[in-house]
Amino acid sequence: MKILICYFSGTGNTKRVVDKYVEVFKNKGCEVDTFRVENQNFEYNIEDYDKIGLAYPIHAFNAPSIIFDFIKKLPKLKEEKPLFIIKTSGEPLRLNNISSIKPMSILKKKNFKLTNEYHYCMPYNIIFRHTDSMAYKMWETAKKLIPIDAQEILDGTEVKLKKFPLGRPLAFVFRIEHWGGRFNGKRYKVKDSCVHCNACVNICPTHNITVENGEFHFGKNCIMCMRCAFLCQKNAIKIGLFEKWKVNGPYTFQKPDKEEENKHKKYCKKSYQKYFKRAEEKIKNAQKISAEEKDFSEEFEENSVVTAKNQ
Ligand SMILES: Cc1cc2nc3c(=O)[nH]c(=O)nc-3n(C[C@H](O)[C@H](O)[C@H](O)COP(=O)(O)O)c2cc1C
């Protein structure tokens, strides 16, 4: 089976998830290509693939604007093509499910058929920094879910996320973030602690940061992905109106040696509990099925040997 996954990842969470999918699909014998939508040249012929994946981080309960720009440019297909969506976001609220409504209404007209949709909780890159143990738990959970979810995609078992009441108008309202990002992006500033390594200039997915005579300029194409501020080694980028929500420095996704204080332990508590409980149930169920299948095939093999000996 040939699979193409097109994705955007601002600060690495979605890429991490996509990389795991690629590993799993390849181990199952699939041919997999990936395309980072920030790269300009989309050289793939979608008609050549059996299934297409679209992956993105949720931005204000929507797909990031760069994903919209990408899917709008996709060609209309001659025949219907199965599509799976992979999303990551910091909290597991069901409201996040509305993020695929608008992208799907564009893609449906181009003959893409949504068959599977998965949402993985990954640590925040804005609002607040998740504790290392939470980041570790999120990633460990995603790592166990992905092989099960990937198998569903390959088996053709359709899985969709639950709808949210008034999802379409709500998603429309929250898409103010696309415009707000551009407005706020022009208000980014660089602090004196900047060492002019120019990493931000080089990694910005929309090439929105330029330097002239040692002065940084932030243009009007910011998509609020947070990559520049999150990865700045000197934490020298001020993100305009959202400075208080800034998160700086990559997560290690390692289990910390000692438990740190969780200042946000009440935040969306029930929602996280539900997410991890559902994930645990899905993982246990899949383990049970695979143990039963193993027992069955061992029994089948033993019986075949006995029958062969008796003949
Ligand atoms: C501008 C912006 C808006 C976000 N909005 C949401 C949101 O509505 N819901 C949510 O759970 N997480 C939200 N997040 C958090 C990201 O979705 C989350 O950290 C994601 O895993 C980041 O993925 P990436 O590293 O691939 O960019 C937002 C992040 C950014 C930068």
Side-chain angles (χ1 to χ4, degrees):
M1 186 174 300
K2 268 187 95 175
I3 300 174
L4 171 67
I5 306 180
C6 306
Y7 71 95
F8 175 71
S9 180
T11 54
N13 287 344
T14 311
K15 182 178 185 312
R16 188 171 271 269
V17 167
V18 167
D19 286 348
K20 184 72 191 166
Y21 263 94
V22 172
E23 181 196 312
V24 172
F25 281 141
K26 283 192 174 166
N27 284 341
K28 289 177 187 291
C30 301
E31 220 179 287
V32 193
D33 287 321
T34 56
F35 176 72
R36 280 182 89 138
V37 303
E38 66 196 76
N39 296 340
Q40 293 301 311
N41 300 326
F42 183 70
E43 293 156 345
Y44 301 92
N45 182 0
I46 290 187
E47 310 276 4
D48 288 347
Y49 294 87
D50 302 298
K51 289 183 194 276
I52 307 296
L54 180 70
Y56 58 81
I58 292 173
H59 283 184
F61 308 110
N62 277 283
S65 54
I66 197 167
I67 285 284
F68 279 85
D69 296 342
F70 170 69
I71 59 178
K72 280 179 192 160
K73 281 190 217 137
L74 286 175
K76 185 170 177 179
L77 305 173
K78 287 189 212 106
E79 278 176 26
E80 207 170 62
K81 185 75 63 186
L83 173 95
F84 56 93
I85 292 186
I86 301 165
K87 319 163 182 187
T88 71
S89 87
E91 97 279 305
L93 292 178
R94 202 172 123 200
L95 183 56
N96 283 308
N97 294 1
I98 68 176
S99 75
S100 48
I101 296 178
K102 185 65 181 167
M104 264 332 293
S105 81
I106 301 170
L107 288 165
K108 212 171 151 193
K109 288 184 194 132
K110 298 185 181 228
N111 251 339
F112 289 87
K113 182 181 182 277
L114 181 66
T115 58
N116 293 66
E117 201 178 2
Y118 300 101
H119 172 228
Y120 304 98
C121 243
M122 290 294 273
Y124 270 143
N125 56 0
I126 191 169
I127 303 182
F128 64 81
R129 189 176 183 84
H130 274 108
T131 59
D132 282 348
S133 47
M134 185 59 146
Y136 171 76
K137 186 174 177 180
M138 285 175 173
W139 176 230
E140 286 303 302
T141 304
K143 266 197 302 191
K144 288 183 195 141
L145 283 174
I146 291 167
I148 306 167
D149 299 342
Q151 192 58 53
E152 286 173 348
I153 295 170
L154 297 182
D155 291 345
T157 312
E158 293 200 8
V159 176
K160 308 261 178 72
L161 294 173
K162 270 196 185 157
K163 291 204 168 107
F164 193 88
L166 297 174
R168 192 175 286 268
L170 280 172
F172 174 77
V173 171
F174 284 117
R175 274 203 298 284
I176 191 170
E177 185 264 347
H178 290 180
W179 171 84
R182 283 188 255 276
F183 170 81
N184 184 61
K186 286 199 278 186
R187 277 144 191 87
Y188 279 27
K189 295 251 168 351
V190 170
K191 292 194 259 183
D192 290 345
S193 49
C194 168
V195 290
H196 292 262
C197 69
N198 285 1
C200 55
V201 176
N202 297 325
I203 60 177
C204 174
T206 56
H207 312 288
N208 194 44
I209 312 172
T210 48
V211 191
E212 231 175 85
N213 302 326
E215 288 251 326
F216 285 86
H217 296 278
F218 294 88
K220 58 177 170 40
N221 294 321
C222 177
I223 54 165
M224 288 277 289
C225 72
M226 293 299 129
R227 194 182 291 170
C228 57
F230 185 80
L231 294 177
C232 175
Q233 297 210 4
K234 296 288 171 190
N235 193 8
I237 298 180
K238 287 171 87 174
I239 57 168
L241 301 170
F242 300 99
E243 181 60 14
K244 283 215 168 99
W245 283 2
K246 186 172 66 181
V247 176
N248 175 257
Y251 291 93
T252 64
F253 294 99
Q254 301 292 316
K255 195 175 185 169
D257 295 336
K258 56 177 186 197
E259 209 55 47
E260 16 161 12
E261 192 204 342
N262 184 359
K263 289 187 207 139
H264 305 279
K265 56 177 173 253
K266 286 198 183 142
Y267 179 85
C268 294
K269 192 176 170 188
K270 280 201 178 142
S271 200
Y272 284 115
Q273 280 171 346
K274 228 183 192 176
Y275 172 80
F276 288 119
K277 190 167 173 256
R278 280 217 195 108
E280 214 175 284
E281 279 166 8
K282 188 169 187 180
I283 294 159
K284 270 196 188 143
N285 202 26
Q287 283 166 345
K288 202 173 138 209
I289 293 170
S290 98
E292 279 167 5
E293 279 172 357
K294 200 172 157 227
D295 285 350
F296 175 78
S297 66
E298 277 171 8
E299 204 179 307
F300 180 78
E301 260 174 46
E302 273 171 28
N303 286 343
S304 314
V305 174
V306 174
T307 319
K309 273 186 186 164
N310 289 344
Q311 274 171 359

